Amino acid sequence: MAFRGGAKRSLGSFLCNRVLNTSYSSSSTCTASAAASGRGFSTWVSSRRSFAQATEIPTSIPLKFANTQCGSALFLRRFSVGTSSSSSSDQMSLIKQLRERTSAPIKDVKAALIDSNWDIEAAQKELRRRGKVLASKKSSRMAAEGLLALAQNESKAAVIELNCETDFVARNDIFQHLALSLAKQALLVESSSQLVSGVFHVPSEDLEDLKLNLEHPKVSGETTVQNAITEVAAVMGENVKLRRGIVMSTTSHGVVSTYLHTSPQPGLGRIAGILSLSVEDKNSQLDAIQRVGSQLAMHVVAAKPLFLTKELVSSDALESEREILKSQAESTGKSQMAIDKIVEGRLRKYYEEVVLMEQKFIMDDTLTVKKLLENLSTEVGSPVKIESFFRMEVGEGIQRLEASSALENLAQAI
């Protein structure tokens, strides 16, 4: 047993010495001065250029082992002698400042600072340049999420749709600030086209070159609408697009009523209902009209009317619906007279579904909208009528357009 133990110790010493002789110079020295000075570590320094770093040995090891080559090899611990802690904290501070200024990803912030030799102003310009390049590359991607933004005054209201790729970006305060600013700008635009029933569409192209003053801490200053959208797209890292806008006005004695559904803050939402009411007697009080107008705006969002009156139902829509109903009635095998009656009865039901004046009021289904207006006219002592209405929803029609485009590309490939 003693022989085996001695053999083991000899073999261990032999291997330890072999490793030390091949790894380090024989001129390496050890000292316990650090332990003696109370730092709790002994410091070993290699004289070889390829090992120009310091290592530490816990002083809890007996000094008789710390002073041996084997003990040194077993308990060495490396520590970095690179960048000082003060410079590292300065760099972290710059990363944090630039991140707060731009909201860009930390990876991009650090890369921009390194490329700019840690000059924060130059790095911010570099981030904007890179962001605009990325924004232009992402402009072809589908953007079906986003928000509607509303701005209005006493006689007019404007709604715009600002799209992005994800609802995560739609919840960002920078994106929301831009949407509200665009709605305020749309409210100032005068119609350059024919005014139809108090509603006119504002093409996004008409807004792109207009001046816009942003007042968000991270995106501020005067710029054009197009540049503001590009800058926000660069910050968000997604395709951001101004899709459309509408403006609705009313007569000198009327009201424009609005309602926003799924609203994260005042003036923003995912579905908008907007309509204008007018009263013949200019001396009539508008309080009751405003109250009913707000209810009707909510009704437009919930009931989804397509036409104001039966007379305004397009002939194409009516003929298409008639053909569908006739085909369904013929499948019953009844006589032609019975089929005609079935079709007319179902057409009345169709009017109740798509015509605003024929719909049942959502807040009291014992009334139609037409009857509600009659009651309101009696209350204010003068005829009240709906001049126009409009319903808008984020992303409506976009998915269908993308699907149609995909099918066309597939057909062309085949």
Side-chain angles (χ1 to χ4, degrees):
M1 293 295 291
F3 175 78
R4 283 194 304 231
K8 288 182 180 179
R9 286 193 295 270
S10 299
L11 180 60
S13 300
F14 171 77
L15 291 175
C16 182
N17 289 330
R18 181 67 177 270
V19 170
L20 288 171
N21 289 334
T22 57
S23 301
Y24 309 116
S25 166
S26 61
S27 61
S28 301
T29 58
C30 292
T31 177
S33 59
S37 62
R39 291 193 308 169
F41 289 93
S42 295
T43 303
W44 178 91
V45 181
S46 171
S47 62
R48 293 188 59 175
R49 293 181 181 274
S50 60
F51 251 70
Q53 69 268 337
T55 59
E56 294 177 349
I57 306 171
T59 55
S60 58
I61 302 167
L63 291 180
K64 65 180 180 179
F65 292 113
N67 289 326
T68 66
Q69 289 181 328
C70 184
S72 300
L74 292 176
F75 299 107
L76 297 180
R77 191 174 70 181
R78 300 171 59 187
F79 68 91
S80 171
V81 293
T83 306
S84 66
S85 59
S86 60
S87 61
S88 297
S89 63
D90 291 342
Q91 292 176 359
M92 290 301 298
S93 177
L94 287 173
I95 292 173
K96 181 179 179 182
Q97 291 177 43
L98 189 55
R99 167 78 170 158
E100 290 174 350
R101 285 190 191 184
T102 64
S103 293
I106 292 179
K107 180 181 177 182
D108 296 343
V109 167
K110 185 175 180 181
L113 282 167
I114 291 174
D115 292 345
S116 304
N117 198 24
W118 298 96
D119 183 338
I120 191 169
E121 299 298 334
Q124 186 170 354
K125 292 179 181 179
E126 177 64 15
L127 275 177
R128 294 182 65 181
R129 186 192 65 78
R130 293 180 185 181
K132 289 180 180 180
V133 172
L134 290 175
S136 64
K137 291 180 179 180
K138 296 176 181 180
S139 61
S140 60
R141 301 197 321 203
M142 184 180 70
E145 292 293 333
L147 286 171
L148 304 178
L150 167 72
Q152 69 181 111
N153 54 32
E154 294 180 356
S155 62
K156 191 164 61 172
V159 179
I160 62 96
E161 178 180 357
L162 186 65
N163 295 126
C164 56
E165 297 177 43
T166 64
D167 61 348
F168 176 79
V169 168
R171 295 194 298 269
N172 186 279
D173 60 338
I174 299 176
F175 182 88
Q176 293 180 1
H177 177 76
L178 175 62
L180 289 170
S181 300
L182 291 173
K184 294 175 183 177
Q185 190 64 47
L187 189 65
L188 303 177
V189 174
E190 297 295 334
S191 174
S192 58
S193 58
Q194 184 180 4
L195 188 66
V196 181
S197 301
V199 180
F200 65 88
H201 294 263
V202 182
S204 59
E205 297 81 8
D206 291 353
L207 293 173
E208 288 178 353
D209 295 330
L210 297 178
K211 294 294 183 180
L212 188 68
N213 189 25
L214 297 176
E215 298 178 349
H216 191 276
K218 296 180 181 178
V219 183
S220 60
E222 185 175 292
T223 183
T224 63
V225 168
Q226 183 57 50
N227 287 341
I229 293 173
T230 301
E231 186 167 348
V232 171
V235 172
M236 297 294 101
E238 289 191 6
N239 183 19
V240 176
K241 183 182 299 183
L242 175 61
R243 184 185 179 199
R244 55 180 171 166
I246 68 109
V247 175
M248 180 179 291
S249 58
T250 186
T251 60
S252 58
H253 199 70
V255 297
V256 176
S257 299
T258 60
Y259 172 73
L260 287 169
H261 187 64
T262 317
S263 178
Q265 63 169 290
L268 297 173
R270 288 188 56 85
I271 309 175
I274 176 171
L275 83 163
S276 60
L277 292 170
S278 65
V279 58
E280 288 187 5
D281 187 359
K282 295 184 178 180
N283 296 320
S284 300
Q285 294 295 319
L286 297 179
D287 293 345
I289 298 175
Q290 289 172 341
R291 170 176 51 81
V292 174
S294 297
Q295 295 172 349
L296 285 173
M298 188 184 301
H299 174 96
V300 167
V301 168
K304 303 179 182 180
L306 300 176
F307 309 98
L308 179 57
T309 64
K310 290 194 294 184
E311 293 75 23
L312 294 176
V313 177
S314 66
S315 58
D316 291 341
L318 187 58
E319 189 62 29
S320 176
E321 188 67 21
R322 191 185 296 275
E323 288 296 326
I324 294 172
L325 295 176
K326 185 177 180 180
S327 176
Q328 293 173 348
E330 287 174 348
S331 64
T332 62
K334 296 183 179 180
S335 65
Q336 187 61 42
M337 183 178 295
I339 289 174
D340 292 341
K341 289 183 178 179
I342 291 173
V343 170
E344 292 304 318
R346 291 180 177 176
L347 274 178
R348 287 193 295 271
K349 181 67 175 175
Y350 172 73
Y351 286 137
E352 292 175 2
E353 292 176 353
V354 301
V355 176
L356 177 58
M357 297 296 287
E358 306 299 323
Q359 288 179 333
K360 291 183 178 180
F361 185 41
I362 60 167
M363 301 186 73
D364 184 355
D365 59 7
T366 63
L367 297 173
T368 63
V369 173
K370 182 188 292 185
K371 184 63 177 177
L372 176 69
L373 289 178
E374 291 176 357
N375 294 345
L376 178 60
S377 299
T378 301
E379 181 180 349
V380 300
S382 179
V384 179
K385 67 176 183 178
I386 299 175
E387 292 182 335
S388 56
F389 76 92
F390 196 85
R391 184 184 187 277
M392 185 186 292
E393 185 170 352
V394 170
E396 57 185 352
I398 293 181
Q399 296 285 357
R400 179 178 58 81
L401 291 174
E402 290 291 330
S404 299
S405 177
L407 289 175
E408 289 177 4
N409 294 335
L410 180 61
Q412 291 174 1
I414 295 174

